[in-house]
Amino acid sequence: MENIIKKYSNGEVTVVWKPDLCQHATFCWKGLPGVFNPKARPWIDPYGASTGQIVGQVEKCPSGALSYFYNKEEKNGIET
């Protein structure tokens, strides 16, 4: 089986989705439908809520299919 990893960023945070791990518990789209919409393509809209709301919802994913990381800004070649 192929290990697919998809990433969706709003500039502040990147949501990582690993579909092979997804158990379809529906926590994501029932909790934050402005970001997670299984009928849309792409199904994750990282601009659909605040970064804090997105992080809070991703942390509720029971399977680990959703995770996130904060993006670092780079100024003059130096990561901050």
Side-chain angles (χ1 to χ4, degrees):
M1 185 175 270
E2 190 176 334
N3 290 328
I4 298 169
I5 298 174
K6 301 208 176 204
K7 298 177 182 177
Y8 306 88
S9 180
N10 68 6
E12 286 185 292
V13 69
T14 297
V15 176
V16 180
W17 178 48
K18 297 177 182 176
D20 294 338
L21 295 179
C22 187
Q23 296 174 351
H24 306 287
T26 71
F27 288 21
C28 54
W29 63 269
K30 285 184 178 177
L32 203 56
V35 175
F36 304 100
N37 181 351
K39 294 181 180 179
R41 293 295 175 259
W43 80 282
I44 297 175
D45 176 6
Y47 296 99
S50 71
T51 294
Q53 290 174 305
I54 293 169
V55 166
Q57 194 61 45
V58 168
E59 288 178 344
K60 295 175 185 175
C61 179
S63 67
L66 291 172
S67 60
Y68 68 92
F69 61 87
Y70 287 101
N71 303 329
K72 293 183 178 180
E73 288 187 27
E74 192 170 311
K75 295 179 183 176
N76 300 324
I78 300 171
E79 285 188 17
T80 58

